[in-house]
Amino acid sequence: MRVGLWITCLVDLMRPAIGFSALKLLEDSGCTVVVPHLQTCCGQPGYNSGDLQSGKDLALKFLHECEDFDAVVVPSGSCGGMMRKHYPTLFQDNLELQSRFTALAGRVWELSEFLLQRPLPPLSTRFKGRLTYHDSCSGLRELGIRHGPRQLLQQIPGVELVEMADRDICCGFGGAFSVKLGDISTRMAENKCRSIRATGAHAVVGGDLGCLLTIEGRLRREGDDQTQVWHWAEILAGMASH
Amino acid sequence: MHSKADHFKENSRRQLGDATLQQNMRRFGGRFAQARAVAMEELPDLEALRDQAAAIRDRSLYQLDEWLLRFEAQAKNAGITVHWAATGAEVNRIVLEIAQAADVRKVVKSKSMVSEETGLNEALIGAGLHVVETDLGEYILQLAEEPPSHLIAPALHKNVEEVADLFAAHHHTPRQTDIPSLCREARVQLRPHFLDADMGITGGNFLIAETGSVVLVTNEGNGRMVTTLPRVHVAITGIEKVLPTLDDLTTLLKLLPRSATGQSITNYVSLLTGPRHDDEREGPSQSHIILVDGGRSEVLGTALQPALRCIRCGACMNHCPVYQNIGGQAYGWVYPGPIGAILTPAYLGLDQARDLPQAATLCGACEVVCPVRIPLPALMRELRQQSVQQGLRPWRERLGVRLWHWLALHPRSYRWFSRVLIWGLSKMANAQGMVTRLPGLDGWTQGRDMPAPQGASFHSLYRKTSRKTS
Ligand code: SF4
């Protein structure tokens, strides 16, 4: 199976380890993984800021780069939501494009969804301890990702998964929202960090780097340099240790 | 009501810094949300019911003119005087004319959000009438001279201590701080007003086209008194509130109270169909209904039309993490929360509420609970697009979006830009790997660090591993 791996713009820029974790997990489960080398950004930042044209242009770019794959996998529910839920709505005046995007949407997978479709490869994890999982909004509500990452994490011996209060309430990231309305965004992050700390977990994990940067940034600002922050794929691929 | 919606940033900053309000909001917390979740379990097929409810509202809206004309004819048959008002000012003028013709001196009101839109109280008081709000929450706000902060619990932002202070100061009675005593006190104060008021004003949750009835869904007995004791009853509602049939009403009534407070049904559901008949002993001798446009017809037929399905249950704000932190008054006009972020710019103009469509992380918590399936995040995105088209966003933001768009379409430049950005951020990081100040992005760094990049971009590292790329 020829799988295209979409590295999100944030992962590319800020935390390539997530991309390499995804790559490793996919290859270990027997896929031929291709990383389209011209990929940049899925277009969601512009689309959510009201720049419809940039959403459309980048959707077309995605179509060119990824239409030939049997599956496109992305380690982010938010980009996955853009590709699966929003791309097919962008070209309602062009039936041909619309049907191509709809067809491609059927082959777009968020990483945990994809991994759970196949026999799980042997895991080489190094993490032991207590984890709490933050449900990122787009993954949860646009793609219905809730149990998958939890199920994967529970496969790891030595990992104890504890649930935080308000686990499915937004962390305050919201893309440009975090800068435009920084006061509100910060307060939301503060609430999230309070819930995380109340669990006594050694690390908080999530499936979207935007949320993870928000949470880590707030934890550190509050002086908490103990609670680790990981993408669940990093834990699974053995890139994280505790 | 005078709008402060264009000062959302300042408003929300003030609300975030108000310790009492923050405490009150935290106490309220997810209470309505939890109650809703429990109540919905009683419904065998919630999702199908939401589909039906949305379809009923759509049917009303797609043939709005027809249903309104049918409503008007039926209401007239029942002896109701029907008035049409294009603007808030017209509503106020019509109410004053009715009041003058019927020699009205005192007015009692039950909750009406549309009258908040029009600033009716100020207009009536300005004309020398005595106006008393009788919904407990609205009564508290009238004493406090504040606007409502929630669709169904307008004084939700106030705690018992604050209410106790208000009552003691205005009623000149000993201060009491337990809720039942405060309710009793309000009742004692309000009762004489019910008895000697000449006019009762209410809103209307729905209008029924086939019967000409106005439907009131309430929990306090005040609605019944306001509509039966005074000589004149005036209901004021938006034109979008019409439903074709009573059957439609039963579907929506399964969802409205459950979505709002988690009740299977409210304490009172009243269907008012005209004034007292000759053989009846109770009820007003005159009943009027004012059908208000107030910007609604401009929304019909546009991408924002689904917002007119709203049945004002408040579930979207009860589940909104932004609303939960800043409270309703930050939104600056009548309607708070996600639906307010859409209706305010839709009714007043986008240039009057520039930041409201931005006031969301698009987390989607509102959309999954809205009983009539309003796609609230998509409508906010639509308003964001309109903001860009109308040139209402700050130039720095527009420049940023354009630059990103261009870079993302030019991978070579994009890679180069990434390298510079990573280099810059890494330079700025402290020993703990955190960037504590980002010029131009202080919205982020005022209360958060930014974790520094790991050192090189994924794509540059990947190329070095000399794998095959497509
Ligand atoms: S938008 Fe939906 S959830 Fe919000 S008040 Fe209206 S009907 Fe209720």
Side-chain angles (χ1 to χ4, degrees), chain B residues 31-37 39-40 43 46 49-50 53 150 152 251-265 311-319 368-373:
Chain B
R31 245 189 274 166
F32 277 147
Q34 285 150 18
R36 173 195 173 274
M40 288 306 180
L43 297 174
L46 172 61
L49 199 61
R50 289 174 72 210
H150 190 278
I152 54 160
T251 304
L252 289 167
L253 277 183
K254 284 185 200 152
L255 286 169
L256 174 56
R258 288 188 171 91
S259 301
T261 52
Q263 293 166 287
S264 353
I265 189 75
I311 57 171
R312 308 281 190 268
C313 71
C316 54
M317 56 207 73
N318 296 338
H319 292 77
V368 295
V369 294
C370 176
V372 287
R373 288 200 194 281

Side-chain angles (χ1 to χ4, degrees), chain B residues 408-445:
Chain B
L409 289 174
H410 297 85
R412 284 171 60 111
S413 308
Y414 183 93
R415 301 277 179 257
W416 173 84
F417 180 78
S418 308
R419 258 202 307 280
V420 175
L421 205 57
I422 290 169
W423 175 83
L425 285 170
S426 309
K427 279 266 175 248
M428 290 161 76
N430 62 18
Q432 286 75 43
M434 291 293 139
V435 180
T436 56
R437 269 213 56 211
L438 281 169
L441 299 178
D442 34 341
W444 182 289
T445 48

Side-chain angles (χ1 to χ4, degrees), chain B residues 133-300:
Chain B
E133 292 282 357
T134 66
D135 172 272
L136 182 57
E138 293 284 355
Y139 178 67
I140 293 167
L141 294 181
Q142 191 180 21
L143 297 183
E145 298 182 28
E146 282 181 35
S149 70
H150 190 278
L151 280 183
I152 54 160
L156 168 139
H157 60 287
K158 291 234 168 285
N159 63 32
V160 183
E161 299 293 328
E162 292 169 284
V163 175
D165 288 343
L166 274 172
F167 279 16
H170 285 86
H171 300 157
H172 310 291
T173 47
R175 187 174 181 277
Q176 13 188 22
T177 52
D178 64 304
I179 292 172
S181 306
L182 287 169
C183 291
R184 211 170 308 123
E185 186 173 332
R187 202 171 294 138
V188 170
Q189 292 288 331
L190 288 171
R191 189 129 301 179
H193 293 307
F194 288 123
L195 292 174
D196 64 7
D198 310 291
M199 174 188 273
I201 297 180
T202 65
N205 291 84
F206 301 105
L207 305 169
I208 309 297
E210 72 173 347
T211 59
S213 316
V214 178
V215 184
L216 289 183
V217 182
T218 62
N219 272 320
E220 298 172 25
N222 67 320
R224 287 268 163 100
M225 298 211 256
V226 166
T227 53
T228 50
L229 293 173
R231 290 181 281 123
V232 182
H233 172 223
V234 181
I236 307 174
T237 76
I239 49 173
E240 84 284 14
K241 292 292 182 69
V242 72
L243 296 179
T245 66
L246 283 172
D247 210 38
D248 295 331
L249 175 67
T250 61
T251 304
L252 289 167
L253 277 183
K254 284 185 200 152
L255 286 169
L256 174 56
R258 288 188 171 91
S259 301
T261 52
Q263 293 166 287
S264 353
I265 189 75
T266 44
N267 295 346
Y268 302 90
V269 175
S270 313
L271 280 89
L272 308 165
T273 316
R276 164 164 42 123
H277 296 167
D278 294 338
D279 56 344
E280 288 171 344
R281 294 185 38 215
E282 273 148 12
S285 49
Q286 282 184 32
S287 60
H288 298 263
I289 168 125
I290 307 179
L291 300 170
V292 187
D293 183 341
R296 287 154 176 83
S297 60
E298 296 282 315
V299 177
L300 269 184

Side-chain angles (χ1 to χ4, degrees), chain A residues 37 39 48 141 180 221, chain B residues 358 363 381 415 449 470:
Chain A
H37 75 287
Q39 62 171 287
N48 280 349
R141 299 197 186 85
K180 288 185 205 169
R221 178 62 62 93
Chain B
Q358 316 289 331
C363 78
R381 206 181 280 112
R415 301 277 179 257
D449 293 346
S470 85

Side-chain angles (χ1 to χ4, degrees), chain A residues 176-198:
Chain A
F177 172 86
S178 60
V179 177
K180 288 185 205 169
L181 291 160
D183 306 87
I184 307 175
S185 173
T186 301
R187 183 62 57 84
M188 290 163 72
E190 197 182 321
N191 298 341
K192 181 54 70 177
C193 291
R194 194 179 316 116
S195 304
I196 293 169
R197 260 200 304 274

